[in-house]
Amino acid sequence: MIRDYDFDPEKRGDAAAQILEYIREYLSSFRMKPRDENRIMLMFEESLIVLMDHAESDEVTQIRVKAYRVLDTMSISLTVPGEEFSFAKEIVPVGIGDLFAEDSDGMEAVRNLLLQSFGDRLRYKHRNGRNTVRIQAVRSTYSFLYQVMACLLLAVILGVLCRAVMPEAAYLALNDTFLESIRTMFLNALKIVIAPIVFLSIVVSIAQFNSLSEIGRLGGKLMLLFLMLEAFACVISGGIYYLTRIIGLPFAGSLAGSGGGEVEAAAFSIRDMLINIVPSNFVQPFLESNVLQLMFLGVLCGLAVGSIGDYSRPLQDFFKSCYELFIKATGILTRFIPILVLCSIWSLILTTGTGLLFSLAGILLIVCAGILVLLLADTLRLKMTGLSVSRFLSKYTPAMAYVFSTASSTASLPENMKSAKSLGISERLYSLSLPLGVIFSKNASIFYRSLTVLLMAQLFGVEATFTEVISLLVTAAVITLATPGVPGGAYIAFSALIFQMGLPAEALACVISIDAVMDLFIAAVNCYGTMVSTLTVAQRENMLDLDQYNDLEKR
């Protein structure tokens, strides 16, 4: 649906009112939650004001509003003729501009990275003399969860029924001719986008890092702290994996030989791993989907793009365009993930029985126990500062509940900033640390993805060597930090790790079944760690108001 509105600079209020009224009506017909609808409207108001400020002339022109929906996803774009400008400098998404300190170090660099982290939900582009802002939203945060869980339940029911009423030869034929065919097609489609996404996401991220030299000493200290916590998460993940191997899990090897499309995982020494990181040519890593080599190429090209002077901007635009192309392809494939879960779990039930469900429950419990260890470690860090843990929890629990409800650290940034203010943290600090944390503080995500894949390897009878474990942990850290904030980004990260371990596509379906539940917790744990890190730095830098922190009435 496309509508054009006349825009007279002298009567901009009238045009804005008409456009926002139409957008409000469209959002209402989409039946979103009132809180989500208000947040989207705030984004549109800010975007429309900025676009009007940069209109091409003082004469009457037109503003085009384009709205459409696909299933449970809505997209609305605003287009206004005008010269190109720095959108990130003019606006901070989700209405948090008033919470940012104007004198924060390197705030423009942080805003650019934060804007990138919004992925497909907020896009700005300039083409043919026109500025366009596109905002995308889903009807329900949990809609994908419901779809995956429904397909998982349906797969179990169909698998049990088929085993009960059909001869063995019949249901095995059904599996070989129908279910495995769909699984193989999806796996091949996924391989098309994995290599380009891994490469391009790292190139785009590294190219953005060049501007982070502006964030100064405070930003550097925060970055170092985040990286140390992520290294700690990798150590805990590897430690729990080896502990489970020593204890011996009852489900280890229960799906050995199940599924198809396995990649043989050769045992490498650390020396071999380091040598293998550097490819012999540029094309080979893409053909073989070699994640480590793709990461090396991404870092190399990202550093090169940011250091070639006048040619840097066109190349960055080129890589960003390619990146958006494959992100869009990933979004399309993501819509079919529930079907992958249905076919893969159905296939596993037919070939192995219902014992799979107990194995997945066991993996889920181990991962949850590990997440609890991370939470306790963050709480211990807070306790070591001498600050009251109970005061912190009483003030931060509402924000953490909001993060849980949205399953997004990006969307919950305004609530986290309000909590930081109520905790007495300096605005200059939290306006830098929390946006940086959205992008770089992902210790829970790294831990969860790496441990889940390692446990899945045990389930499918793959025993990883020490070198392979180190390689997987490094890959999980790099890919997680570069993972785009778009639907399907997490599954691309999981897919790359699963293929690196030589696991079949059924392993991806099992991971998605677990992720549908765990995704609700991971963002909350990430934000909890970021807030604790902000508090510890605030205390060391004398940027914490202790009276405000200890006063339970000031929230």
Side-chain angles (χ1 to χ4, degrees):
M1 185 182 299
I2 299 176
R3 290 194 179 185
D4 292 323
Y5 294 86
D6 291 332
F7 169 52
D8 185 347
E10 295 182 358
K11 301 179 180 179
R12 58 185 295 166
D14 295 340
Q18 294 178 29
I19 294 171
L20 293 175
E21 181 181 359
Y22 166 68
I23 293 174
R24 174 73 74 177
E25 291 176 357
Y26 190 84
L27 290 175
S28 298
S29 68
F30 195 59
R31 298 193 301 276
M32 298 178 66
K33 292 181 179 179
R35 181 172 59 186
D36 294 335
E37 182 178 321
N38 290 334
R39 187 172 67 248
I40 294 294
M41 282 302 302
L42 186 57
M43 294 170 69
F44 273 114
E45 289 174 13
E46 294 180 352
S47 300
L48 183 59
I49 291 172
V50 172
L51 289 175
M52 286 180 169
D53 289 339
H54 292 273
E56 64 179 359
S57 67
D58 295 332
E59 301 177 357
V60 177
T61 186
Q62 282 193 328
I63 298 178
R64 170 161 291 186
V65 181
K66 182 178 180 181
Y68 64 91
R69 66 179 68 174
V70 179
L71 299 178
D72 61 344
T73 302
M74 172 219 68
S75 181
I76 302 179
S77 63
L78 303 173
T79 302
V80 183
E83 295 183 353
E84 185 176 9
F85 63 95
S86 174
F87 184 71
K89 188 175 181 179
E90 296 279 348
I91 183 174
V92 179
V94 203
I96 59 177
D98 57 324
L99 295 175
F100 274 83
E102 293 298 326
D103 60 345
S104 294
D105 298 328
M107 214 53 248
E108 183 177 353
V110 176
R111 291 183 184 201
N112 276 297
L113 287 168
L114 181 61
L115 186 61
Q116 181 184 331
S117 75
F118 272 74
D120 264 0
R121 286 170 291 173
L122 179 60
R123 289 287 189 186
Y124 164 79
K125 68 178 180 180
H126 177 84
R127 183 179 299 170
N128 299 327
R130 294 177 177 271
N131 292 309
T132 300
V133 173
R134 187 189 68 196
I135 297 176
Q136 195 174 79
V138 294
R139 178 180 287 113
S140 172
T141 307
Y142 302 112
S143 59
F144 191 78
L145 167 65
Y146 298 148
Q147 293 173 26
V148 171
M149 297 309 294
C151 286
L152 175 62
L153 179 60
L154 180 60
V156 173
I157 294 173
L158 290 175
V160 171
L161 286 177
C162 287
R163 288 177 66 95
V165 303
M166 296 174 64
E168 182 177 359
Y171 67 68
L172 290 180
L174 170 67
N175 176 60
D176 293 339
T177 58
F178 176 66
L179 300 179
E180 285 198 4
S181 298
I182 294 178
R183 177 196 60 78
T184 302
M185 287 190 294
F186 186 88
L187 179 65
N188 292 338
L190 205 56
K191 286 182 176 179
I192 294 174
V193 299
I194 284 177
I197 284 289
V198 170
F199 170 73
L200 291 169
S201 63
I202 293 175
V203 171
V204 172
S205 297
I206 294 294
Q208 288 278 12
F209 288 171
N210 293 317
S211 60
L212 285 179
S213 59
E214 303 170 6
I215 63 176
R217 181 187 62 83
L218 192 59
K221 181 174 290 189
L222 288 164
M223 290 282 291
L224 179 61
L225 180 57
F226 292 152
L227 292 176
M228 290 174 61
L229 292 174
E230 283 150 5
F232 173 75
C234 289
V235 171
I236 296 297
S237 176
I240 292 178
Y241 168 69
Y242 277 109
L243 181 62
T244 58
R245 283 182 56 172
I246 293 172
I247 296 174
L249 297 177
F251 57 76
S254 60
L255 296 184
S258 299
E262 293 95 339
V263 180
E264 292 296 329
F268 291 112
S269 66
I270 292 182
R271 174 181 174 275
D272 292 333
M273 182 190 75
L274 294 175
I275 293 175
N276 190 53
I277 288 176
V278 183
S280 58
N281 61 71
F282 194 87
V283 179
Q284 182 180 358
F286 291 90
L287 297 177
E288 299 178 352
S289 294
N290 189 311
V291 179
L292 287 176
Q293 293 182 353
L294 289 168
M295 288 163 49
F296 175 83
L297 290 178
V299 173
L300 184 65
C301 292
L303 293 173
V305 166
S307 60
I308 56 177
D310 295 339
Y311 297 100
S312 177
R313 178 61 184 276
L315 275 177
Q316 285 190 35
D317 291 341
F318 169 75
F319 281 118
K320 283 183 179 179
S321 298
C322 295
Y323 173 75
E324 290 188 18
L325 170 65
F326 284 99
I327 285 298
K328 181 60 66 176
T330 301
I332 295 172
L333 290 177
T334 299
R335 299 182 185 279
F336 296 95
I337 280 181
I339 298 177
L340 172 68
V341 172
L342 172 64
C343 294
S344 296
I345 301 299
W346 187 0
S347 174
L348 286 173
I349 295 293
L350 290 179
T351 55
T352 65
T354 55
L356 167 67
L357 300 179
F358 296 100
S359 300
L360 293 181
I363 292 176
L364 187 61
L365 287 175
I366 295 172
V367 172
C368 287
I371 293 295
L372 182 60
V373 171
L374 289 184
L375 276 173
L376 292 176
D378 285 331
T379 305
L380 181 60
R381 284 197 297 129
L382 179 62
K383 185 69 176 177
M384 292 173 63
T385 63
L387 298 172
S388 170
V389 175
S390 61
R391 296 284 196 281
F392 171 77
L393 293 177
S394 65
K395 291 191 174 186
Y396 187 62
T397 298
M400 198 168 179
Y402 183 82
V403 180
F404 180 85
S405 68
T406 61
S408 170
S409 54
T410 305
S412 57
L413 186 56
E415 292 298 320
N416 276 315
M417 286 188 157
K418 291 176 183 177
S419 291
K421 187 175 182 179
S422 71
L423 287 166
I425 301 173
S426 167
E427 183 180 6
R428 179 173 177 270
L429 175 60
Y430 73 68
S431 64
L432 177 64
S433 67
L434 297 185
L436 278 178
V438 168
I439 306 155
F440 296 110
S441 181
K442 297 182 178 181
N443 54 321
S445 299
I446 294 170
F447 168 84
Y448 158 60
R449 290 173 185 173
S450 58
L451 181 60
T452 301
V453 173
L454 287 170
L455 293 176
M456 204 61 65
Q458 288 197 61
L459 178 63
F460 283 86
V462 177
E463 286 197 9
T465 65
F466 178 76
T467 304
E468 289 169 341
V469 172
I470 296 298
S471 173
L472 182 82
L473 293 174
V474 172
T475 303
V478 174
I479 290 183
T480 298
L481 291 174
T483 295
V486 296
Y491 304 122
I492 290 296
F494 268 125
S495 300
L497 297 175
I498 285 171
F499 293 152
Q500 180 176 332
M501 288 298 296
L503 302 178
E506 282 80 1
L508 178 59
C510 293
V511 165
I512 292 171
S513 301
I514 294 174
D515 185 71
V517 178
M518 289 302 300
D519 189 50
L520 301 175
F521 297 92
I522 298 302
V525 178
N526 281 333
C527 289
Y528 183 87
T530 301
M531 189 62 74
V532 171
S533 298
T534 303
L535 265 175
T536 57
V537 173
Q539 188 189 46
R540 293 173 186 172
E541 299 291 325
N542 294 319
M543 303 176 75
L544 178 65
D545 185 343
L546 290 176
D547 292 336
Q548 171 81 14
Y549 181 88
N550 291 312
D551 190 349
L552 291 177
E553 299 299 324
K554 296 180 179 180
R555 300 189 182 186

